[in-house]
Amino acid sequence: MQLLQKMANQPDGSIFPTQAKIYDTGFDTVHTLILTDTVLAEEIDRLSKLNQTVCAQEIMDGLSKVASQLKLAHHGTKGLKANIHILELLCQFQSVLKEFHFNSKLIVEESILACRSYQRALLMLKNPTVAIKLIASTSKSQERIATTAEKLFDSCQTIIKFSMTILCSEIMLELKERRVIDVNGLEEAFKSFDQAALLWISIKNHCLTLNSNKIDLQVSELNSEMLEGYIRGNGMNWLTFAHMNYIASKAIGNFAEAVDGILNNLPSHHHI
């Protein structure tokens, strides 16, 4: 039963796209290819469901509560000393969102580089030494993605601690008692970053599994069919990973822009 389950979870590498230039034109082109190729789309959807543990869009929905609560708190503290603390939270919130968006795009770019290496390895099957070097090169993208995701995980932890420090300060506790603003609502909203932290750590863990089934790199012992199967299978895993992160990056980017539109229109403390 375990063997059958393992076989059922393997990617259909035979449909890994081999057009030489699709990855050179950016992931928007690849995304369009996936949407227009029913078989490829279904396989990527299947693999995504096997690997996705956290939904980026759901996290953005949670973080939208942070934006709403901060906007209310900003209006509620106008003319009060506490307003500067709310502005500090606003700045930190926007900064982290920009960091999310910028680095999520880097993760997609590194994923595309790995996909490109697997695609080129397919074209070099007659020269196994070169094909294997191309495969091995993806470990650099893997390391960079893992490091980036870990950094974003740390950013989530930092803003959670920062928000709790401010919201538990004496001046904010006084406002809480006077019910000037909903401090409890703010505290609850910032817990959304716990889910965001799970997203980045899940991306890191997923990435680290992509090259886990490494082949024996002794060229003299390689079977060409096995090498091609490995390249196509792992190529599909990387393509799925890239696609999942592309969707996440788009969701983060759209949300970051929306938040900028809302919060940038709020007056700074210089105008209060």
Side-chain angles (χ1 to χ4, degrees), residues 13-14 16-19 116-126 131 134-135 227-233 235:
S14 65
F16 180 60
T18 56
Q19 292 93 325
R116 189 180 300 160
S117 292
Y118 274 95
Q119 190 184 52
R120 288 173 175 167
L122 275 179
L123 301 176
M124 298 302 296
L125 281 174
K126 292 183 178 179
L134 285 165
I135 294 169
L227 177 59
E228 180 178 357
Y230 171 83
I231 293 172
R232 287 184 177 278

mmCIF file with all atom_site columns, all heavy atoms in Angstrom, residues 13-14 16-19 116-126 131 134-135 227-233 235:
data_model
loop_
_atom_site.group_PDB
_atom_site.id
_atom_site.type_symbol
_atom_site.label_atom_id
_atom_site.label_alt_id
_atom_site.label_comp_id
_atom_site.label_asym_id
_atom_site.label_entity_id
_atom_site.label_seq_id
_atom_site.pdbx_PDB_ins_code
_atom_site.Cartn_x
_atom_site.Cartn_y
_atom_site.Cartn_z
_atom_site.occupancy
_atom_site.B_iso_or_equiv
_atom_site.pdbx_formal_charge
_atom_site.auth_seq_id
_atom_site.auth_comp_id
_atom_site.auth_asym_id
_atom_site.auth_atom_id
_atom_site.pdbx_PDB_model_num
ATOM 1   N N   . GLY A 1 13  ? 6.452  13.355 -14.973 1.00 0.00 ? 13  GLY A N   1
ATOM 2   C CA  . GLY A 1 13  ? 7.542  14.086 -15.605 1.00 0.00 ? 13  GLY A CA  1
ATOM 3   C C   . GLY A 1 13  ? 7.474  14.127 -17.117 1.00 0.00 ? 13  GLY A C   1
ATOM 4   O O   . GLY A 1 13  ? 8.086  14.992 -17.745 1.00 0.00 ? 13  GLY A O   1
ATOM 5   N N   . SER A 1 14  ? 6.721  13.209 -17.705 1.00 0.00 ? 14  SER A N   1
ATOM 6   C CA  . SER A 1 14  ? 6.661  13.159 -19.168 1.00 0.00 ? 14  SER A CA  1
ATOM 7   C C   . SER A 1 14  ? 6.058  14.436 -19.755 1.00 0.00 ? 14  SER A C   1
ATOM 8   O O   . SER A 1 14  ? 6.302  14.761 -20.914 1.00 0.00 ? 14  SER A O   1
ATOM 9   C CB  . SER A 1 14  ? 5.825  11.955 -19.625 1.00 0.00 ? 14  SER A CB  1
ATOM 10  O OG  . SER A 1 14  ? 4.473  12.094 -19.217 1.00 0.00 ? 14  SER A OG  1
ATOM 11  N N   . PHE A 1 16  ? 6.632  17.457 -18.500 1.00 0.00 ? 16  PHE A N   1
ATOM 12  C CA  . PHE A 1 16  ? 7.471  18.619 -18.193 1.00 0.00 ? 16  PHE A CA  1
ATOM 13  C C   . PHE A 1 16  ? 7.787  19.339 -19.504 1.00 0.00 ? 16  PHE A C   1
ATOM 14  O O   . PHE A 1 16  ? 8.345  18.767 -20.423 1.00 0.00 ? 16  PHE A O   1
ATOM 15  C CB  . PHE A 1 16  ? 8.769  18.170 -17.519 1.00 0.00 ? 16  PHE A CB  1
ATOM 16  C CG  . PHE A 1 16  ? 9.698  19.308 -17.157 1.00 0.00 ? 16  PHE A CG  1
ATOM 17  C CD1 . PHE A 1 16  ? 9.283  20.300 -16.286 1.00 0.00 ? 16  PHE A CD1 1
ATOM 18  C CD2 . PHE A 1 16  ? 10.974 19.376 -17.680 1.00 0.00 ? 16  PHE A CD2 1
ATOM 19  C CE1 . PHE A 1 16  ? 10.135 21.339 -15.933 1.00 0.00 ? 16  PHE A CE1 1
ATOM 20  C CE2 . PHE A 1 16  ? 11.836 20.405 -17.336 1.00 0.00 ? 16  PHE A CE2 1
ATOM 21  C CZ  . PHE A 1 16  ? 11.413 21.385 -16.460 1.00 0.00 ? 16  PHE A CZ  1
ATOM 22  N N   . PRO A 1 17  ? 7.398  20.633 -19.643 1.00 0.00 ? 17  PRO A N   1
ATOM 23  C CA  . PRO A 1 17  ? 7.547  21.345 -20.911 1.00 0.00 ? 17  PRO A CA  1
ATOM 24  C C   . PRO A 1 17  ? 9.005  21.489 -21.326 1.00 0.00 ? 17  PRO A C   1
ATOM 25  O O   . PRO A 1 17  ? 9.866  21.797 -20.509 1.00 0.00 ? 17  PRO A O   1
ATOM 26  C CB  . PRO A 1 17  ? 6.909  22.713 -20.631 1.00 0.00 ? 17  PRO A CB  1
ATOM 27  C CG  . PRO A 1 17  ? 6.953  22.862 -19.149 1.00 0.00 ? 17  PRO A CG  1
ATOM 28  C CD  . PRO A 1 17  ? 6.809  21.480 -18.589 1.00 0.00 ? 17  PRO A CD  1
ATOM 29  N N   . THR A 1 18  ? 9.268  21.267 -22.598 1.00 0.00 ? 18  THR A N   1
ATOM 30  C CA  . THR A 1 18  ? 10.654 21.271 -23.084 1.00 0.00 ? 18  THR A CA  1
ATOM 31  C C   . THR A 1 18  ? 10.945 22.389 -24.083 1.00 0.00 ? 18  THR A C   1
ATOM 32  O O   . THR A 1 18  ? 12.015 22.411 -24.676 1.00 0.00 ? 18  THR A O   1
ATOM 33  C CB  . THR A 1 18  ? 10.983 19.916 -23.743 1.00 0.00 ? 18  THR A CB  1
ATOM 34  O OG1 . THR A 1 18  ? 10.036 19.664 -24.787 1.00 0.00 ? 18  THR A OG1 1
ATOM 35  C CG2 . THR A 1 18  ? 10.929 18.800 -22.734 1.00 0.00 ? 18  THR A CG2 1
ATOM 36  N N   . GLN A 1 19  ? 9.975  23.310 -24.287 1.00 0.00 ? 19  GLN A N   1
ATOM 37  C CA  . GLN A 1 19  ? 10.258 24.419 -25.196 1.00 0.00 ? 19  GLN A CA  1
ATOM 38  C C   . GLN A 1 19  ? 11.467 25.188 -24.676 1.00 0.00 ? 19  GLN A C   1
ATOM 39  O O   . GLN A 1 19  ? 11.529 25.541 -23.509 1.00 0.00 ? 19  GLN A O   1
ATOM 40  C CB  . GLN A 1 19  ? 9.048  25.370 -25.301 1.00 0.00 ? 19  GLN A CB  1
ATOM 41  C CG  . GLN A 1 19  ? 7.854  24.746 -25.996 1.00 0.00 ? 19  GLN A CG  1
ATOM 42  C CD  . GLN A 1 19  ? 6.897  24.118 -24.997 1.00 0.00 ? 19  GLN A CD  1
ATOM 43  O OE1 . GLN A 1 19  ? 7.323  23.590 -23.988 1.00 0.00 ? 19  GLN A OE1 1
ATOM 44  N NE2 . GLN A 1 19  ? 5.615  24.184 -25.296 1.00 0.00 ? 19  GLN A NE2 1
ATOM 45  N N   . ARG A 1 116 ? 14.838 26.188 -15.376 1.00 0.00 ? 116 ARG A N   1
ATOM 46  C CA  . ARG A 1 116 ? 15.610 26.366 -16.606 1.00 0.00 ? 116 ARG A CA  1
ATOM 47  C C   . ARG A 1 116 ? 16.769 25.368 -16.662 1.00 0.00 ? 116 ARG A C   1
ATOM 48  O O   . ARG A 1 116 ? 17.080 24.804 -17.718 1.00 0.00 ? 116 ARG A O   1
ATOM 49  C CB  . ARG A 1 116 ? 16.130 27.804 -16.675 1.00 0.00 ? 116 ARG A CB  1
ATOM 50  C CG  . ARG A 1 116 ? 16.769 28.175 -18.009 1.00 0.00 ? 116 ARG A CG  1
ATOM 51  C CD  . ARG A 1 116 ? 17.258 29.613 -17.964 1.00 0.00 ? 116 ARG A CD  1
ATOM 52  N NE  . ARG A 1 116 ? 16.163 30.529 -17.717 1.00 0.00 ? 116 ARG A NE  1
ATOM 53  C CZ  . ARG A 1 116 ? 16.328 31.761 -17.251 1.00 0.00 ? 116 ARG A CZ  1
ATOM 54  N NH1 . ARG A 1 116 ? 17.527 32.217 -16.960 1.00 0.00 ? 116 ARG A NH1 1
ATOM 55  N NH2 . ARG A 1 116 ? 15.285 32.545 -17.076 1.00 0.00 ? 116 ARG A NH2 1
ATOM 56  N N   . SER A 1 117 ? 17.403 25.132 -15.518 1.00 0.00 ? 117 SER A N   1
ATOM 57  C CA  . SER A 1 117 ? 18.515 24.181 -15.473 1.00 0.00 ? 117 SER A CA  1
ATOM 58  C C   . SER A 1 117 ? 18.045 22.771 -15.809 1.00 0.00 ? 117 SER A C   1
ATOM 59  O O   . SER A 1 117 ? 18.716 22.032 -16.539 1.00 0.00 ? 117 SER A O   1
ATOM 60  C CB  . SER A 1 117 ? 19.169 24.197 -14.085 1.00 0.00 ? 117 SER A CB  1
ATOM 61  O OG  . SER A 1 117 ? 19.818 25.426 -13.852 1.00 0.00 ? 117 SER A OG  1
ATOM 62  N N   . TYR A 1 118 ? 16.886 22.392 -15.280 1.00 0.00 ? 118 TYR A N   1
ATOM 63  C CA  . TYR A 1 118 ? 16.348 21.062 -15.582 1.00 0.00 ? 118 TYR A CA  1
ATOM 64  C C   . TYR A 1 118 ? 15.944 20.963 -17.046 1.00 0.00 ? 118 TYR A C   1
ATOM 65  O O   . TYR A 1 118 ? 16.126 19.918 -17.693 1.00 0.00 ? 118 TYR A O   1
ATOM 66  C CB  . TYR A 1 118 ? 15.161 20.748 -14.670 1.00 0.00 ? 118 TYR A CB  1
ATOM 67  C CG  . TYR A 1 118 ? 15.595 20.144 -13.356 1.00 0.00 ? 118 TYR A CG  1
ATOM 68  C CD1 . TYR A 1 118 ? 15.772 20.938 -12.230 1.00 0.00 ? 118 TYR A CD1 1
ATOM 69  C CD2 . TYR A 1 118 ? 15.869 18.785 -13.251 1.00 0.00 ? 118 TYR A CD2 1
ATOM 70  C CE1 . TYR A 1 118 ? 16.201 20.387 -11.031 1.00 0.00 ? 118 TYR A CE1 1
ATOM 71  C CE2 . TYR A 1 118 ? 16.290 18.235 -12.065 1.00 0.00 ? 118 TYR A CE2 1
ATOM 72  C CZ  . TYR A 1 118 ? 16.461 19.036 -10.947 1.00 0.00 ? 118 TYR A CZ  1
ATOM 73  O OH  . TYR A 1 118 ? 16.891 18.488 -9.769  1.00 0.00 ? 118 TYR A OH  1
ATOM 74  N N   . GLN A 1 119 ? 15.395 22.047 -17.557 1.00 0.00 ? 119 GLN A N   1
ATOM 75  C CA  . GLN A 1 119 ? 15.000 22.039 -18.967 1.00 0.00 ? 119 GLN A CA  1
ATOM 76  C C   . GLN A 1 119 ? 16.231 21.880 -19.869 1.00 0.00 ? 119 GLN A C   1
ATOM 77  O O   . GLN A 1 119 ? 16.226 21.106 -20.823 1.00 0.00 ? 119 GLN A O   1
ATOM 78  C CB  . GLN A 1 119 ? 14.260 23.327 -19.291 1.00 0.00 ? 119 GLN A CB  1
ATOM 79  C CG  . GLN A 1 119 ? 13.602 23.317 -20.664 1.00 0.00 ? 119 GLN A CG  1
ATOM 80  C CD  . GLN A 1 119 ? 12.978 24.667 -20.955 1.00 0.00 ? 119 GLN A CD  1
ATOM 81  O OE1 . GLN A 1 119 ? 13.637 25.691 -20.837 1.00 0.00 ? 119 GLN A OE1 1
ATOM 82  N NE2 . GLN A 1 119 ? 11.723 24.669 -21.322 1.00 0.00 ? 119 GLN A NE2 1
ATOM 83  N N   . ARG A 1 120 ? 17.288 22.604 -19.552 1.00 0.00 ? 120 ARG A N   1
ATOM 84  C CA  . ARG A 1 120 ? 18.508 22.519 -20.351 1.00 0.00 ? 120 ARG A CA  1
ATOM 85  C C   . ARG A 1 120 ? 19.191 21.163 -20.182 1.00 0.00 ? 120 ARG A C   1
ATOM 86  O O   . ARG A 1 120 ? 19.815 20.663 -21.113 1.00 0.00 ? 120 ARG A O   1
ATOM 87  C CB  . ARG A 1 120 ? 19.458 23.655 -19.962 1.00 0.00 ? 120 ARG A CB  1
ATOM 88  C CG  . ARG A 1 120 ? 18.965 25.016 -20.458 1.00 0.00 ? 120 ARG A CG  1
ATOM 89  C CD  . ARG A 1 120 ? 19.797 26.166 -19.942 1.00 0.00 ? 120 ARG A CD  1
ATOM 90  N NE  . ARG A 1 120 ? 19.368 27.428 -20.533 1.00 0.00 ? 120 ARG A NE  1
ATOM 91  C CZ  . ARG A 1 120 ? 19.738 28.615 -20.096 1.00 0.00 ? 120 ARG A CZ  1
ATOM 92  N NH1 . ARG A 1 120 ? 20.556 28.718 -19.048 1.00 0.00 ? 120 ARG A NH1 1
ATOM 93  N NH2 . ARG A 1 120 ? 19.305 29.714 -20.683 1.00 0.00 ? 120 ARG A NH2 1
ATOM 94  N N   . ALA A 1 121 ? 19.045 20.585 -18.991 1.00 0.00 ? 121 ALA A N   1
ATOM 95  C CA  . ALA A 1 121 ? 19.610 19.257 -18.758 1.00 0.00 ? 121 ALA A CA  1
ATOM 96  C C   . ALA A 1 121 ? 18.962 18.231 -19.686 1.00 0.00 ? 121 ALA A C   1
ATOM 97  O O   . ALA A 1 121 ? 19.626 17.311 -20.178 1.00 0.00 ? 121 ALA A O   1
ATOM 98  C CB  . ALA A 1 121 ? 19.430 18.851 -17.301 1.00 0.00 ? 121 ALA A CB  1
ATOM 99  N N   . LEU A 1 122 ? 17.654 18.414 -19.928 1.00 0.00 ? 122 LEU A N   1
ATOM 100 C CA  . LEU A 1 122 ? 16.956 17.515 -20.859 1.00 0.00 ? 122 LEU A CA  1
ATOM 101 C C   . LEU A 1 122 ? 17.548 17.607 -22.259 1.00 0.00 ? 122 LEU A C   1
ATOM 102 O O   . LEU A 1 122 ? 17.650 16.605 -22.976 1.00 0.00 ? 122 LEU A O   1
ATOM 103 C CB  . LEU A 1 122 ? 15.465 17.857 -20.927 1.00 0.00 ? 122 LEU A CB  1
ATOM 104 C CG  . LEU A 1 122 ? 14.548 17.249 -19.874 1.00 0.00 ? 122 LEU A CG  1
ATOM 105 C CD1 . LEU A 1 122 ? 13.124 17.730 -20.094 1.00 0.00 ? 122 LEU A CD1 1
ATOM 106 C CD2 . LEU A 1 122 ? 14.598 15.724 -19.915 1.00 0.00 ? 122 LEU A CD2 1
ATOM 107 N N   . LEU A 1 123 ? 17.940 18.815 -22.641 1.00 0.00 ? 123 LEU A N   1
ATOM 108 C CA  . LEU A 1 123 ? 18.504 19.010 -23.975 1.00 0.00 ? 123 LEU A CA  1
ATOM 109 C C   . LEU A 1 123 ? 19.922 18.471 -24.086 1.00 0.00 ? 123 LEU A C   1
ATOM 110 O O   . LEU A 1 123 ? 20.452 18.347 -25.190 1.00 0.00 ? 123 LEU A O   1
ATOM 111 C CB  . LEU A 1 123 ? 18.489 20.511 -24.330 1.00 0.00 ? 123 LEU A CB  1
ATOM 112 C CG  . LEU A 1 123 ? 17.111 21.190 -24.317 1.00 0.00 ? 123 LEU A CG  1
ATOM 113 C CD1 . LEU A 1 123 ? 17.257 22.686 -24.581 1.00 0.00 ? 123 LEU A CD1 1
ATOM 114 C CD2 . LEU A 1 123 ? 16.188 20.557 -25.354 1.00 0.00 ? 123 LEU A CD2 1
ATOM 115 N N   . MET A 1 124 ? 20.521 18.156 -22.925 1.00 0.00 ? 124 MET A N   1
ATOM 116 C CA  . MET A 1 124 ? 21.916 17.686 -22.899 1.00 0.00 ? 124 MET A CA  1
ATOM 117 C C   . MET A 1 124 ? 22.028 16.227 -22.487 1.00 0.00 ? 124 MET A C   1
ATOM 118 O O   . MET A 1 124 ? 23.068 15.793 -21.996 1.00 0.00 ? 124 MET A O   1
ATOM 119 C CB  . MET A 1 124 ? 22.737 18.558 -21.937 1.00 0.00 ? 124 MET A CB  1
ATOM 120 C CG  . MET A 1 124 ? 22.815 20.024 -22.325 1.00 0.00 ? 124 MET A CG  1
ATOM 121 S SD  . MET A 1 124 ? 23.526 20.297 -23.967 1.00 0.00 ? 124 MET A SD  1
ATOM 122 C CE  . MET A 1 124 ? 25.189 19.676 -23.703 1.00 0.00 ? 124 MET A CE  1
ATOM 123 N N   . LEU A 1 125 ? 20.959 15.460 -22.694 1.00 0.00 ? 125 LEU A N   1
ATOM 124 C CA  . LEU A 1 125 ? 20.972 14.068 -22.265 1.00 0.00 ? 125 LEU A CA  1
ATOM 125 C C   . LEU A 1 125 ? 22.080 13.241 -22.933 1.00 0.00 ? 125 LEU A C   1
ATOM 126 O O   . LEU A 1 125 ? 22.570 12.267 -22.366 1.00 0.00 ? 125 LEU A O   1
ATOM 127 C CB  . LEU A 1 125 ? 19.615 13.416 -22.554 1.00 0.00 ? 125 LEU A CB  1
ATOM 128 C CG  . LEU A 1 125 ? 18.495 13.737 -21.550 1.00 0.00 ? 125 LEU A CG  1
ATOM 129 C CD1 . LEU A 1 125 ? 17.175 13.164 -22.022 1.00 0.00 ? 125 LEU A CD1 1
ATOM 130 C CD2 . LEU A 1 125 ? 18.851 13.197 -20.168 1.00 0.00 ? 125 LEU A CD2 1
ATOM 131 N N   . LYS A 1 126 ? 22.473 13.647 -24.129 1.00 0.00 ? 126 LYS A N   1
ATOM 132 C CA  . LYS A 1 126 ? 23.538 12.917 -24.824 1.00 0.00 ? 126 LYS A CA  1
ATOM 133 C C   . LYS A 1 126 ? 24.899 13.183 -24.199 1.00 0.00 ? 126 LYS A C   1
ATOM 134 O O   . LYS A 1 126 ? 25.879 12.505 -24.509 1.00 0.00 ? 126 LYS A O   1
ATOM 135 C CB  . LYS A 1 126 ? 23.553 13.293 -26.311 1.00 0.00 ? 126 LYS A CB  1
ATOM 136 C CG  . LYS A 1 126 ? 22.319 12.797 -27.063 1.00 0.00 ? 126 LYS A CG  1
ATOM 137 C CD  . LYS A 1 126 ? 22.414 13.122 -28.541 1.00 0.00 ? 126 LYS A CD  1
ATOM 138 C CE  . LYS A 1 126 ? 21.195 12.586 -29.302 1.00 0.00 ? 126 LYS A CE  1
ATOM 139 N NZ  . LYS A 1 126 ? 21.252 12.913 -30.753 1.00 0.00 ? 126 LYS A NZ  1
ATOM 140 N N   . ALA A 1 131 ? 24.694 17.427 -18.268 1.00 0.00 ? 131 ALA A N   1
ATOM 141 C CA  . ALA A 1 131 ? 23.335 17.372 -17.718 1.00 0.00 ? 131 ALA A CA  1
ATOM 142 C C   . ALA A 1 131 ? 23.374 17.329 -16.193 1.00 0.00 ? 131 ALA A C   1
ATOM 143 O O   . ALA A 1 131 ? 22.613 18.033 -15.517 1.00 0.00 ? 131 ALA A O   1
ATOM 144 C CB  . ALA A 1 131 ? 22.594 16.160 -18.267 1.00 0.00 ? 131 ALA A CB  1
ATOM 145 N N   . LEU A 1 134 ? 24.289 20.647 -14.660 1.00 0.00 ? 134 LEU A N   1
ATOM 146 C CA  . LEU A 1 134 ? 23.140 21.553 -14.682 1.00 0.00 ? 134 LEU A CA  1
ATOM 147 C C   . LEU A 1 134 ? 22.187 21.247 -13.520 1.00 0.00 ? 134 LEU A C   1
ATOM 148 O O   . LEU A 1 134 ? 21.662 22.159 -12.868 1.00 0.00 ? 134 LEU A O   1
ATOM 149 C CB  . LEU A 1 134 ? 22.406 21.445 -16.015 1.00 0.00 ? 134 LEU A CB  1
ATOM 150 C CG  . LEU A 1 134 ? 23.107 22.111 -17.200 1.00 0.00 ? 134 LEU A CG  1
ATOM 151 C CD1 . LEU A 1 134 ? 22.503 21.629 -18.520 1.00 0.00 ? 134 LEU A CD1 1
ATOM 152 C CD2 . LEU A 1 134 ? 22.983 23.631 -17.108 1.00 0.00 ? 134 LEU A CD2 1
ATOM 153 N N   . ILE A 1 135 ? 21.970 19.965 -13.282 1.00 0.00 ? 135 ILE A N   1
ATOM 154 C CA  . ILE A 1 135 ? 21.112 19.552 -12.168 1.00 0.00 ? 135 ILE A CA  1
ATOM 155 C C   . ILE A 1 135 ? 21.724 19.996 -10.841 1.00 0.00 ? 135 ILE A C   1
ATOM 156 O O   . ILE A 1 135 ? 21.053 20.559 -9.974  1.00 0.00 ? 135 ILE A O   1
ATOM 157 C CB  . ILE A 1 135 ? 20.920 18.025 -12.163 1.00 0.00 ? 135 ILE A CB  1
ATOM 158 C CG1 . ILE A 1 135 ? 20.140 17.582 -13.405 1.00 0.00 ? 135 ILE A CG1 1
ATOM 159 C CG2 . ILE A 1 135 ? 20.186 17.589 -10.894 1.00 0.00 ? 135 ILE A CG2 1
ATOM 160 C CD1 . ILE A 1 135 ? 20.133 16.085 -13.600 1.00 0.00 ? 135 ILE A CD1 1
ATOM 161 N N   . LEU A 1 227 ? 18.053 8.650  -16.025 1.00 0.00 ? 227 LEU A N   1
ATOM 162 C CA  . LEU A 1 227 ? 18.473 10.041 -15.905 1.00 0.00 ? 227 LEU A CA  1
ATOM 163 C C   . LEU A 1 227 ? 17.383 10.970 -16.449 1.00 0.00 ? 227 LEU A C   1
ATOM 164 O O   . LEU A 1 227 ? 17.030 11.968 -15.818 1.00 0.00 ? 227 LEU A O   1
ATOM 165 C CB  . LEU A 1 227 ? 19.788 10.277 -16.651 1.00 0.00 ? 227 LEU A CB  1
ATOM 166 C CG  . LEU A 1 227 ? 20.304 11.727 -16.654 1.00 0.00 ? 227 LEU A CG  1
ATOM 167 C CD1 . LEU A 1 227 ? 20.524 12.223 -15.232 1.00 0.00 ? 227 LEU A CD1 1
ATOM 168 C CD2 . LEU A 1 227 ? 21.598 11.811 -17.462 1.00 0.00 ? 227 LEU A CD2 1
ATOM 169 N N   . GLU A 1 228 ? 16.826 10.611 -17.606 1.00 0.00 ? 228 GLU A N   1
ATOM 170 C CA  . GLU A 1 228 ? 15.769 11.438 -18.182 1.00 0.00 ? 228 GLU A CA  1
ATOM 171 C C   . GLU A 1 228 ? 14.546 11.463 -17.276 1.00 0.00 ? 228 GLU A C   1
ATOM 172 O O   . GLU A 1 228 ? 13.932 12.518 -17.068 1.00 0.00 ? 228 GLU A O   1
ATOM 173 C CB  . GLU A 1 228 ? 15.371 10.920 -19.567 1.00 0.00 ? 228 GLU A CB  1
ATOM 174 C CG  . GLU A 1 228 ? 14.271 11.760 -20.203 1.00 0.00 ? 228 GLU A CG  1
ATOM 175 C CD  . GLU A 1 228 ? 13.888 11.307 -21.603 1.00 0.00 ? 228 GLU A CD  1
ATOM 176 O OE1 . GLU A 1 228 ? 14.514 10.353 -22.117 1.00 0.00 ? 228 GLU A OE1 1
ATOM 177 O OE2 . GLU A 1 228 ? 12.969 11.910 -22.187 1.00 0.00 ? 228 GLU A OE2 1
ATOM 178 N N   . GLY A 1 229 ? 14.194 10.305 -16.726 1.00 0.00 ? 229 GLY A N   1
ATOM 179 C CA  . GLY A 1 229 ? 13.044 10.244 -15.820 1.00 0.00 ? 229 GLY A CA  1
ATOM 180 C C   . GLY A 1 229 ? 13.253 11.101 -14.580 1.00 0.00 ? 229 GLY A C   1
ATOM 181 O O   . GLY A 1 229 ? 12.336 11.795 -14.121 1.00 0.00 ? 229 GLY A O   1
ATOM 182 N N   . TYR A 1 230 ? 14.478 11.065 -14.063 1.00 0.00 ? 230 TYR A N   1
ATOM 183 C CA  . TYR A 1 230 ? 14.800 11.867 -12.886 1.00 0.00 ? 230 TYR A CA  1
ATOM 184 C C   . TYR A 1 230 ? 14.696 13.353 -13.213 1.00 0.00 ? 230 TYR A C   1
ATOM 185 O O   . TYR A 1 230 ? 14.109 14.143 -12.452 1.00 0.00 ? 230 TYR A O   1
ATOM 186 C CB  . TYR A 1 230 ? 16.211 11.548 -12.394 1.00 0.00 ? 230 TYR A CB  1
ATOM 187 C CG  . TYR A 1 230 ? 16.699 12.485 -11.325 1.00 0.00 ? 230 TYR A CG  1
ATOM 188 C CD1 . TYR A 1 230 ? 16.351 12.280 -9.996  1.00 0.00 ? 230 TYR A CD1 1
ATOM 189 C CD2 . TYR A 1 230 ? 17.483 13.585 -11.645 1.00 0.00 ? 230 TYR A CD2 1
ATOM 190 C CE1 . TYR A 1 230 ? 16.770 13.159 -9.004  1.00 0.00 ? 230 TYR A CE1 1
ATOM 191 C CE2 . TYR A 1 230 ? 17.907 14.470 -10.668 1.00 0.00 ? 230 TYR A CE2 1
ATOM 192 C CZ  . TYR A 1 230 ? 17.555 14.251 -9.342  1.00 0.00 ? 230 TYR A CZ  1
ATOM 193 O OH  . TYR A 1 230 ? 17.970 15.125 -8.376  1.00 0.00 ? 230 TYR A OH  1
ATOM 194 N N   . ILE A 1 231 ? 15.253 13.747 -14.351 1.00 0.00 ? 231 ILE A N   1
ATOM 195 C CA  . ILE A 1 231 ? 15.236 15.164 -14.742 1.00 0.00 ? 231 ILE A CA  1
ATOM 196 C C   . ILE A 1 231 ? 13.808 15.651 -14.929 1.00 0.00 ? 231 ILE A C   1
ATOM 197 O O   . ILE A 1 231 ? 13.422 16.714 -14.436 1.00 0.00 ? 231 ILE A O   1
ATOM 198 C CB  . ILE A 1 231 ? 16.041 15.387 -16.033 1.00 0.00 ? 231 ILE A CB  1
ATOM 199 C CG1 . ILE A 1 231 ? 17.530 15.127 -15.769 1.00 0.00 ? 231 ILE A CG1 1
ATOM 200 C CG2 . ILE A 1 231 ? 15.846 16.796 -16.567 1.00 0.00 ? 231 ILE A CG2 1
ATOM 201 C CD1 . ILE A 1 231 ? 18.383 15.132 -17.026 1.00 0.00 ? 231 ILE A CD1 1
ATOM 202 N N   . ARG A 1 232 ? 13.006 14.873 -15.638 1.00 0.00 ? 232 ARG A N   1
ATOM 203 C CA  . ARG A 1 232 ? 11.627 15.286 -15.895 1.00 0.00 ? 232 ARG A CA  1
ATOM 204 C C   . ARG A 1 232 ? 10.810 15.339 -14.596 1.00 0.00 ? 232 ARG A C   1
ATOM 205 O O   . ARG A 1 232 ? 10.025 16.265 -14.375 1.00 0.00 ? 232 ARG A O   1
ATOM 206 C CB  . ARG A 1 232 ? 10.973 14.344 -16.895 1.00 0.00 ? 232 ARG A CB  1
ATOM 207 C CG  . ARG A 1 232 ? 11.486 14.517 -18.327 1.00 0.00 ? 232 ARG A CG  1
ATOM 208 C CD  . ARG A 1 232 ? 10.727 13.623 -19.303 1.00 0.00 ? 232 ARG A CD  1
ATOM 209 N NE  . ARG A 1 232 ? 11.165 13.827 -20.673 1.00 0.00 ? 232 ARG A NE  1
ATOM 210 C CZ  . ARG A 1 232 ? 10.741 14.813 -21.465 1.00 0.00 ? 232 ARG A CZ  1
ATOM 211 N NH1 . ARG A 1 232 ? 9.847  15.682 -20.997 1.00 0.00 ? 232 ARG A NH1 1
ATOM 212 N NH2 . ARG A 1 232 ? 11.183 14.931 -22.695 1.00 0.00 ? 232 ARG A NH2 1
ATOM 213 N N   . GLY A 1 233 ? 10.996 14.342 -13.746 1.00 0.00 ? 233 GLY A N   1
ATOM 214 C CA  . GLY A 1 233 ? 10.248 14.296 -12.489 1.00 0.00 ? 233 GLY A CA  1
ATOM 215 C C   . GLY A 1 233 ? 10.600 15.450 -11.572 1.00 0.00 ? 233 GLY A C   1
ATOM 216 O O   . GLY A 1 233 ? 9.721  16.158 -11.056 1.00 0.00 ? 233 GLY A O   1
ATOM 217 N N   . GLY A 1 235 ? 12.097 18.148 -12.474 1.00 0.00 ? 235 GLY A N   1
ATOM 218 C CA  . GLY A 1 235 ? 11.751 19.384 -13.179 1.00 0.00 ? 235 GLY A CA  1
ATOM 219 C C   . GLY A 1 235 ? 10.309 19.762 -12.920 1.00 0.00 ? 235 GLY A C   1
ATOM 220 O O   . GLY A 1 235 ? 9.986  20.938 -12.693 1.00 0.00 ? 235 GLY A O   1
#
